[in-house]
Amino acid sequence: MTGTLVLAGTPIGDVADAPPRLAAELTAAEVIAAEDTRRLRRLTQALGVHTTGRVVSYFEGNEASRTPELVEALTGGARVLLVTDAGMPSVSDPGYRLVAAAVERGVKVTAVPGPSAVLTALAVSGLPVDRFCFEGFLPRKAGERLGRLREVAAERRTLVYFEAPHRLDDTLAAMAEVFGGERRAAVCRELTKTYEEVRRGPLAELAAWAAEGVRGEITVVVEGAAPPGPEDTDAAELVRRVRVREEAGERRKEAIAAVAAEAGLPKREVFDAVVAAKTAGKSARAEQ
């Protein structure tokens, strides 16, 4: 008989947000895998919980090597509890490898729902919440970050990102460059904590604010792209946007695909516009 893997959500700030079931699972677990064992100790003390299970560390640096050990415990019948520093395990935190390995071995996987920075930020952002897309952390390198943002430039769903405070100004500036400085956004800082702050405004304005320096845990919520209007699908405008991307270093094929996605058009339509403009340009030069 196999055991059970329990993914437990932990408070993202205020310990009073801990679900009652978390205390029960901490008490009952035979193995507790924690992203930071010191934070786990502080959490159990705050909750008044006494754990009897074996506590092991499970973080980014040892996730791959520790997973087989935990899967062995699970297949041996143990109840394994996985907790991270804040929020739900496996969502931009350690846990995915263990969940995938447990599922592959036929182990039951369940969860203790808890606070979520993604949903909390989305709810207080003031932006549309009916459809959204979680993008996690952006790449640290500027070129890769711009590339990732361009992939979702035409995404109409609200976008949610995590970001480190020392990179926030660069990230917001990149978003303003790719999405447009007038695109609405909200920077949610230190959610549920003493110094909680939600700063709302256009991306360009938020980027200028962040340049002065920001501290704390950050979640950024960005308005989705507006539906394309007639001016966005005009052939000359499509050609212009492809040319801008080519001048920035993109290959023509990639530029055409990106512009087509932004405009909500088939790639063939953008390709034909580029070819027609090229042909017209050759004819004009020939007549001169």
Side-chain angles (χ1 to χ4, degrees), residues 118-213:
V118 175
L119 295 180
T120 303
L122 188 68
V124 303
S125 68
L127 297 171
V129 298
D130 54 333
R131 300 175 68 221
F132 70 94
C133 179
F134 176 57
E135 287 289 303
F137 284 95
L138 286 166
R140 291 181 176 139
K141 294 183 178 178
E144 294 176 5
R145 181 167 55 234
L146 286 171
R148 184 74 61 81
L149 290 171
R150 286 180 182 131
E151 290 176 5
V152 295
E155 176 59 64
R156 298 188 195 177
R157 292 174 293 179
T158 299
L159 301 164
V160 184
Y161 294 88
F162 287 159
E163 191 51 279
H166 62 278
R167 289 198 299 269
L168 180 63
D169 56 340
D170 289 337
T171 291
L172 291 172
M175 288 178 172
E177 177 183 342
V178 175
F179 299 155
E182 293 304 310
R183 181 89 70 94
R184 294 185 302 161
V187 176
C188 305
R189 187 179 73 84
E190 295 289 89
L191 287 170
T192 77
K193 300 178 184 177
T194 303
Y195 298 104
E196 176 180 289
E197 178 183 18
V198 180
R199 178 77 61 148
R200 304 174 183 87
L203 281 168
E205 181 182 301
L206 291 173
W209 163 74
E212 299 176 7

Side-chain angles (χ1 to χ4, degrees), residues 16-258:
D17 292 335
R21 227 182 97 203
L22 176 59
E25 290 290 356
L26 284 165
T27 302
E30 294 161 277
V31 180
I32 302 174
E35 184 177 10
D36 187 324
T37 57
R38 293 167 299 181
R39 288 201 181 194
L40 172 65
R41 193 176 306 114
R42 289 197 293 270
L43 177 62
T44 56
Q45 289 173 348
L47 296 176
V49 171
H50 175 65
T51 61
T52 57
R54 179 168 60 96
V55 176
V56 298
S57 63
Y58 190 75
F59 59 98
E60 185 179 359
N62 73 353
E63 190 175 0
S65 61
R66 183 76 80 182
T67 293
E69 173 189 331
L70 294 174
V71 170
E72 184 179 352
L74 286 164
T75 54
R79 190 172 187 84
V80 176
L81 181 70
L82 176 61
V83 293
T84 55
D85 292 346
M88 182 60 67
S90 81
V91 180
S92 284
D93 272 329
Y96 169 74
R97 282 190 178 92
L98 181 56
V99 172
V103 169
E104 187 177 350
R105 296 294 293 272
V107 173
K108 179 182 177 181
V109 180
T110 187
V112 177
S116 163
V118 175
L119 295 180
T120 303
L122 188 68
V124 303
S125 68
L127 297 171
V129 298
D130 54 333
R131 300 175 68 221
F132 70 94
C133 179
F134 176 57
E135 287 289 303
F137 284 95
L138 286 166
R140 291 181 176 139
K141 294 183 178 178
E144 294 176 5
R145 181 167 55 234
L146 286 171
R148 184 74 61 81
L149 290 171
R150 286 180 182 131
E151 290 176 5
V152 295
E155 176 59 64
R156 298 188 195 177
R157 292 174 293 179
T158 299
L159 301 164
V160 184
Y161 294 88
F162 287 159
E163 191 51 279
H166 62 278
R167 289 198 299 269
L168 180 63
D169 56 340
D170 289 337
T171 291
L172 291 172
M175 288 178 172
E177 177 183 342
V178 175
F179 299 155
E182 293 304 310
R183 181 89 70 94
R184 294 185 302 161
V187 176
C188 305
R189 187 179 73 84
E190 295 289 89
L191 287 170
T192 77
K193 300 178 184 177
T194 303
Y195 298 104
E196 176 180 289
E197 178 183 18
V198 180
R199 178 77 61 148
R200 304 174 183 87
L203 281 168
E205 181 182 301
L206 291 173
W209 163 74
E212 299 176 7
V214 179
R215 292 184 178 182
E217 300 287 335
I218 305 292
T219 305
V220 180
V221 186
V222 184
E223 180 181 35
E231 69 280 0
D232 296 315
T233 56
D234 175 79
E237 173 61 14
L238 296 174
V239 172
R240 185 194 69 79
R241 286 157 65 181
V242 169
R243 187 179 300 115
V244 167
R245 285 180 170 274
E246 285 187 289
E247 290 172 352
E250 285 190 29
R251 292 185 301 175
R252 177 165 295 180
K253 182 178 179 181
E254 295 170 346
I256 288 173

